[in-house]
Amino acid sequence: MSSPDRLDLIIDAVVAGLRGTLADQPGSGTGSGTAAASPPPAPPPLSVSAPSVSAPLTQVMKRPEAGSVKTPAATDPPAAGSAGVDGPDVTDPTAEARRALPGVNDPRDPRALEALMGSTCARIGVGRAGPRYRTPALLLFQADHAVAKDAIYRSVDQRLLDELGLFTVKTRVADKEEYLLRPDLGRLLSDEGRQTLQERCVKGPKVQVVVGDGLSAAAIEANAARMMPVLMHGFAEAGLATGTPFFVEFARVGLMNDINSIVGADVIVYLIGERPGLGRATSMSVYLGYKPAPGLTDADRDVVCNIFDGGTNPLEAGAYVVQLVRQMISHQASGVKLKLATMGQAVGANEGRAG
Amino acid sequence: MALRTKLFGRLYEFRDLRELMGKANEEKSGDRLAGIAADSAAERVAARFVLSEQTLQTLFESPAVSAEDDEVTRVILSGVNRTILEEIRGWTVGGFREWLLADTTSGDAIRRVSQGLTSEMVAAVTKLMSNLDLIYGASKIRVSAHCANTIGAPGTLASRLQPNHPTDDPDAIRAAIYEGLSYGCGDSVIGINPVDDSLSSVKRLLDMTYELIATWEIPTQNCVLAHVTTQMAALQQGAPIGLIFQSIAGSQAGMESFGVSVGLLDEADALARKLCFTAGPDYLYFETGQGSELSADAHHGWDQLTMEARCYGLAKRYHPFQVNTVVGFIGPEYLYDARQITRAGLEDHFMGKLTGISMGCDACYTNHAVAGQNDVENLAVLLATAGCNYFMGVPMGDDSMLSYQCTSYHDTAALRQLLRLRPLPEFEEWMVGLGLMKNGVLTERAGDPTFFLQR
């Protein structure tokens, strides 16, 4: 990218945001603020139905404290299964406070272990039973996998699409199972969809925004409403005329080529749900292409991925997308070509100084 | 040449080698997606009967894409030792299978014959192998390589430490590295898939991992898996790189979809030899996976197994330090369920070794495939017995950035203790020196990431 400084700023902002935010999903895998240093859980065997065996109930129930590594922002919706919904005799082993409990027996530095665990959403500090997982960590993994599996077959809420003023077109895919097995059909608009775009879309805009369900309706529901205003405002401010935004059901990334054969935009900005991660189905990507057309591939595109609270925040990502679109238009390129163009510029500048 | 057979009195006929090769495969959703899979289970086996009678010469003459049109084909053909080819050209594919499995055929003999093979021959014999054939055959072949340390020696099992993070936060990544090292992972490479593959971000991660390697004097290599052009730019600007990575494909069109070419990989290899901080001489790291050519419409009507074999044929040109298939990453439209993922993992590993490259496997799945963690644990056991050079090591197998699941730090430790395998020799010595491993088993201190806060 040509503006590493700008990117650094964004990353810093996102990281700062991360430190002050708790992921919005139950079972997101994001380690959160933890109760004060708790003793390591008792050695196995552990009973899952009686989690108080592994830690005193009072500690399990304790809300994350202010000043701990991460605390939930006041604006975040309470996560189902967070410590707050636990009754006195019903604990939820997927609650953030429980996730943050270290599993290492007799760590060298217990406080540092909690800090390390708090610094990442990765499943570290989990300890071991011989070379295998401890029981609570194993079952927590299975719980997170279970909710991701359960989330896959849902559709995007029509109320959200109404709220964003998006009409819907379909690809040539008939249902979710066909969507999973036939990506080729998800890269082509249905005949009806083509006609709808012919009739309803402004032709030849600088920027065309498209929203597609992709592999996660939840990702669109969690991020699209927050990103769309940033994009529209950003494009308006940059003086870039935008086309008529719409939603596509059963959409694949390569569909942007087919779409642009009708709308003829300079740049397609395409929000799409990523395949669900463990315990997290809310990650969205934005794919961008300069004058996409049949035959162009991922190498001709750029992508901003991992957009979710806890990854790249949708507001920051939106601002970055606007910046990328401006670069694409000024270099008349995207993907590897854009990278080479911007690198060539940097190298050229250095050579100029040297010469 | 008539490509036909009778089976139970019924005639099965195949138009050409391409159709035959597609139909001889074990069932895979990707071949079905491409419209080239067998129409019935019986037709599949009929195709294998016919394929078993084809000679290696026939396969040599029928590359998936013609040499005039495809630089990957040209690389594969230019790597063939004609003297060895002359010795084996009359073998049938069925006879080749039996030769590979024979007790009188040593690993060294297979390594020699590898030099006379094209990727289509490798693919053809693989289609005739059962799962245990693939495991047994692969176990005979060892391919070793050297960069900062030595990968691939018999009795070793290495692990790529893959500490990815959704915002590339260096502190978070460092924490995951500490955890992985404390389980004995990271001997194949400490390799990060970046979210942000801008030059500044890639350099920051390279600096951080290098500093860690230097501080703890870890006998391993680092790598940030950005596009190869970004890594080359970083290297030219003085960034410390141990291994250079790139995803590759089995056709020129597939390579173009990744934004790379043979010329670019040649340049990367030359630059690595000039600027990487590691001893070498094997500086490259490739990833592949069945279905990537089809997904880029670059398969030329050929089946995904054959296109995958061609990736290995291309990789061989560079004698890479390591190559792994990312076998379940591509999704259910190519490998639908655990059975197909397992089969493809065994095929890819066998094909890589038969081609003569240092082969590992990212045994993995996505959440929309019909597979789970038990299935990748199974595959890892099968491949470890087959002598796989390395697996991925991810915290509990859950990659928080790539949104998929694969093998874990614990899996590496368990597989070693289960099958009496050791880390790479230089790395084991390092672990023993720190008191994290003794007699091939983790010590009391292992599994505690705070161990690495001492320096």
Side-chain angles (χ1 to χ4, degrees):
Chain A
M1 297 304 137
S2 67
S3 338
D5 291 343
R6 168 73 183 134
L7 210 48
D8 287 349
L9 283 177
I10 291 175
I11 289 167
D12 290 343
V14 171
V15 170
L18 233 186
R19 293 198 191 288
T21 320
L22 184 65
D24 60 343
Q25 278 279 304
S28 68
T30 305
S32 80
T34 170
S38 50
L46 293 175
S47 160
V48 187
S49 56
S52 57
V53 174
S54 65
L57 194 58
T58 49
Q59 287 181 351
V60 174
M61 296 301 301
K62 208 179 261 181
R63 299 285 297 181
E65 290 168 5
S68 61
V69 182
K70 288 180 195 170
T71 52
T75 52
D76 283 331
S82 72
V85 300
D86 289 346
D89 54 356
V90 185
T91 57
D92 183 343
T94 65
E96 292 299 338
R98 292 291 304 279
R99 290 173 180 274
L101 290 176
V104 180
N105 277 327
D106 194 21
R108 197 173 171 280
D109 185 340
R111 288 187 63 90
L113 180 60
E114 292 193 12
L116 286 178
M117 292 175 72
S119 73
T120 178
C121 52
R123 293 168 196 264
I124 66 165
V126 293
R128 60 193 181 95
R132 300 308 295 157
Y133 311 121
R134 302 206 51 198
T135 306
L138 172 66
L139 296 179
L140 188 55
F141 177 99
Q142 291 176 355
D144 288 341
H145 185 237
V147 295
K149 293 295 277 188
D150 288 345
I152 283 172
Y153 283 83
R154 235 164 33 76
S155 299
V156 173
D157 192 337
Q158 183 59 43
R159 284 171 301 180
L160 172 77
L161 301 178
D162 293 343
E163 187 189 311
L164 293 174
L166 302 175
F167 63 89
T168 297
V169 295
K170 285 189 179 179
T171 62
R172 301 199 175 172
V173 170
D175 56 36
K176 280 276 181 188
E177 177 146 359
E178 185 170 62
Y179 177 77
L180 292 178
L181 285 167
R182 294 293 303 271
D184 54 329
L185 301 180
R187 297 188 194 112
L188 295 170
L189 289 162
S190 66
D191 292 341
E192 198 186 341
R194 297 187 72 85
Q195 192 172 346
T196 308
L197 294 192
Q198 275 300 357
E199 289 164 8
R200 297 186 65 168
C201 284
V202 172
K203 307 300 183 305
K206 281 283 175 196
V207 189
Q208 171 71 50
V209 177
V210 181
V211 180
D213 50 2
L215 285 161
S216 170
I220 298 302
E221 289 167 359
N223 301 294
R226 291 163 69 193
M227 181 181 273
M228 288 287 278
V230 179
L231 293 179
M232 293 310 183
H233 179 76
F235 295 139
E237 205 167 54
L240 300 172
T242 50
T244 320
F246 57 91
F247 173 76
V248 191
E249 191 178 15
F250 304 134
R252 293 276 174 178
V253 172
L255 180 68
M256 71 159 67
N257 294 353
D258 203 29
I259 288 172
N260 211 38
S261 69
I262 299 171
V263 300
D266 278 9
V267 177
I268 297 265
V269 171
Y270 186 5
L271 287 62
I272 191 163
E274 290 176 9
R275 54 185 167 195
L278 212 60
R280 189 185 73 223
T282 57
S283 188
M284 187 178 82
S285 287
V286 179
Y287 281 82
L288 301 103
Y290 182 77
K291 294 192 173 169
L296 296 185
T297 66
D298 279 345
D300 302 298
R301 300 173 189 135
D302 285 274
V303 59
V304 180
C305 57
N306 270 298
I307 300 167
F308 66 98
D309 283 320
T312 303
N313 148 328
L315 305 177
E316 297 287 348
Y320 181 54
V321 166
V322 172
Q323 188 202 350
L324 259 178
V325 169
R326 297 179 67 159
Q327 268 186 31
M328 287 178 181
I329 288 174
S330 80
H331 289 280
Q332 300 185 11
S334 56
V336 173
K337 279 182 204 139
L338 177 66
K339 178 165 287 180
L340 291 175
T342 52
M343 273 182 180
Q345 200 178 45
V347 170
N350 288 337
E351 281 168 359
R353 274 199 293 277
Chain B
M1 166 187 56
L3 297 174
R4 62 182 180 217
T5 187
K6 272 190 180 172
L7 219 60
F8 302 105
R10 183 175 160 182
L11 183 69
Y12 294 89
E13 197 153 15
F14 304 93
R15 215 173 30 247
D16 53 20
L17 198 70
R18 174 163 61 183
E19 182 180 79
L20 183 72
M21 292 279 270
K23 296 203 168 190
N25 273 345
E26 284 284 309
E27 184 173 359
K28 289 181 189 138
S29 50
D31 289 336
R32 207 160 275 291
L33 175 65
I36 58 175
D39 294 327
S40 66
E43 189 188 28
R44 177 169 298 120
V45 182
R48 286 186 198 149
F49 268 110
V50 176
L51 182 58
S52 74
E53 291 162 0
Q54 303 307 307
T55 63
L56 298 187
Q57 175 68 21
T58 301
L59 289 151
F60 178 73
E61 288 165 358
S62 313
V65 199
S66 75
E68 298 82 65
D69 297 334
D70 192 281
E71 63 175 1
V72 174
T73 302
R74 292 196 289 276
V75 165
I76 293 167
L77 292 180
S78 72
V80 171
N81 179 314
R82 302 300 162 127
T83 303
I84 295 171
L85 173 65
E86 195 56 40
E87 292 171 26
I88 62 173
R89 63 198 303 160
W91 294 7
T92 62
V93 180
F96 183 31
R97 172 183 169 278
E98 292 189 1
W99 181 83
L100 286 167
L101 298 170
D103 290 330
T104 48
T105 303
S106 68
D108 285 347
I110 297 174
R111 288 295 308 276
R112 178 175 172 277
V113 158
S114 287
Q115 302 308 314
L117 299 177
T118 62
S119 301
E120 286 74 13
M121 300 179 202
V122 170
V125 75
T126 301
K127 292 166 197 276
L128 299 186
M129 306 283 262
S130 75
N131 283 9
L132 186 50
D133 293 350
L134 294 171
I135 293 167
Y136 182 73
S139 77
K140 296 172 101 174
I141 312 168
R142 296 302 313 206
V143 183
S144 186
H146 190 277
C147 189
N149 56 18
T150 319
I151 198 166
T156 64
L157 174 65
S159 162
R160 167 182 161 194
L161 206 167
Q162 183 175 306
N164 299 340
H165 184 265
T167 61
D168 294 338
D169 178 350
D171 290 335
I173 290 173
R174 195 182 289 111
I177 294 175
Y178 291 158
E179 173 103 347
L181 290 171
S182 78
Y183 282 86
C185 293
D187 43 353
S188 110
V189 63
I190 297 173
I192 303 164
N193 298 90
V195 175
D196 169 6
D197 80 342
S198 68
L199 191 52
S200 60
S201 173
V202 168
K203 284 166 67 177
R204 177 173 40 218
L205 295 178
L206 286 166
D207 286 339
M208 184 270 283
T209 46
Y210 176 75
E211 190 194 315
L212 219 157
I213 286 172
T215 302
W216 283 91
E217 299 175 315
I218 311 170
T220 192
Q221 33 277 316
N222 65 341
C223 185
V224 175
L225 288 76
H227 193 266
V228 67
T229 50
T230 308
Q231 296 168 79
M232 290 164 75
L235 204 49
Q236 280 166 322
Q237 293 183 13
I241 297 185
L243 278 183
I244 299 265
F245 166 84
Q246 181 56 44
S247 291
I248 56 172
S251 69
Q252 185 172 334
M255 293 283 279
E256 281 162 7
S257 81
F258 289 144
V260 295
S261 64
V262 172
L264 184 61
L265 295 183
D266 286 355
E267 268 179 57
D269 193 29
L271 196 67
R273 286 165 196 279
K274 210 161 94 182
L275 294 175
C276 280
F277 73 86
T278 37
D282 307 318
Y283 287 109
L284 296 190
Y285 170 16
F286 297 124
E287 280 188 342
T288 65
Q290 289 191 26
S292 56
E293 295 82 8
L294 176 58
S295 83
D297 195 22
H299 63 300
H300 300 275
W302 281 74
D303 61 282
Q304 59 191 35
L305 183 152
T306 303
M307 298 311 288
E308 178 74 7
R310 290 167 53 88
C311 295
Y312 307 139
L314 169 63
K316 183 182 179 183
R317 173 185 181 87
Y318 303 98
H319 202 273
F321 183 72
Q322 56 180 26
V323 179
N324 63 260
T325 172
V326 192
V327 71
F329 187 69
I330 193 157
E333 61 271 35
Y334 303 94
L335 297 169
Y336 185 67
D337 57 13
R339 191 168 73 161
Q340 295 185 11
I341 292 171
T342 302
R343 172 72 194 181
L346 297 177
E347 289 168 346
D348 293 353
H349 175 253
F350 172 78
M351 293 196 297
K353 282 187 154 186
L354 182 55
T355 303
I357 55 176
S358 162
M359 197 67 198
C361 181
D362 186 344
C364 62
Y365 63 100
T366 58
N367 286 322
H368 59 313
V370 184
Q373 201 64 23
N374 286 335
D375 300 308
V376 293
E377 289 179 3
N378 288 350
L379 177 56
V381 173
L382 297 179
L383 284 173
T385 63
C388 187
N389 279 4
Y390 66 101
F391 295 110
M392 304 297 124
V394 169
M396 289 200 70
D398 171 15
D399 191 304
S400 56
M401 176 270 184
L402 289 173
S403 286
Y404 81 130
Q405 286 88 248
C406 58
T407 47
S408 68
Y409 299 153
H410 293 72
D411 292 346
T412 301
L415 289 168
R416 285 173 179 160
Q417 292 183 201
L418 175 71
L419 299 168
R420 295 186 168 73
L421 298 168
R422 298 297 184 93
L424 301 188
E426 302 88 344
F427 196 87
E428 180 174 2
E429 195 179 315
W430 173 79
M431 285 186 74
V432 170
L434 292 178
L436 292 173
M437 181 173 262
K438 196 178 172 188
N439 301 323
V441 176
L442 295 177
T443 65
E444 282 286 299
R445 290 184 195 177
D448 175 8
T450 66
F451 180 90
F452 288 98
L453 294 171
Q454 296 175 68
R455 288 186 196 166

